[in-house]
Amino acid sequence: MGDYYDIDDILAEEDFVPVQFHKAVNGVKIDESSERGFVEQDSKAELPFWLARGLHLQQAISIKVPACFNRNTRLEIEADAGSVDLRSRCSYFYEFGCKVAPYCDKSIGLLVSYAFKARYKEVLYKSHTKAFAAASKIMTFLTKEETNLYEAAQSSMAAFRKWRMGGPRLQRASILGRKRKPAE
């Protein structure tokens, strides 16, 4: 398949995570308002996940649970997952949750799985039944992954309707239309 960069993967790792430094670090300026060029041991900060993961692997920091997976979000999802605005918490809620869980709280994986299962059927149902005006309101609450699912479902339904309304039932494969070269 080859090496390539997935823009969604890159963007998912741009979200910030709270961290606590285990070691003092020289030559680093995390806060622009600070005059110091170092970070003290036990300092707390927020770093992009891609950077925090690297520092965590070097045992320089510990990653804390990001705000988008905090207790309030968990309670809201458990109460009514379909009405929670996950996009405002994290555009890549599911992908980011899968990436950050091994580094801070493994139960985030269960939360992400539960939220997806609870919202999946509703997203598909709405993609097939809602009018355009209602659809634009729905789209504001969906994460990037859910938006992709919603658009794929709408595209699939449009193709089905086109086929059902008398589109070509069977199509000849392009390879069948070619003539053989006469054998010499």
Side-chain angles (χ1 to χ4, degrees), residues 124-131 153-169:
L124 289 182
Y125 174 76
K126 287 178 179 177
S127 70
H128 293 315
T129 60
K130 296 295 180 184
Q154 280 196 320
S155 173
S156 175
M157 193 61 172
F160 174 74
R161 285 187 185 124
K162 181 179 176 184
W163 174 82
R164 187 86 166 135
M165 299 306 281
R169 299 282 181 190

Side-chain angles (χ1 to χ4, degrees), residues 6 38 53 59 71 73 82 98 101 152:
D6 179 8
F38 67 94
R53 179 177 53 209
Q59 299 178 344
R71 187 173 188 281
T73 300
C98 291

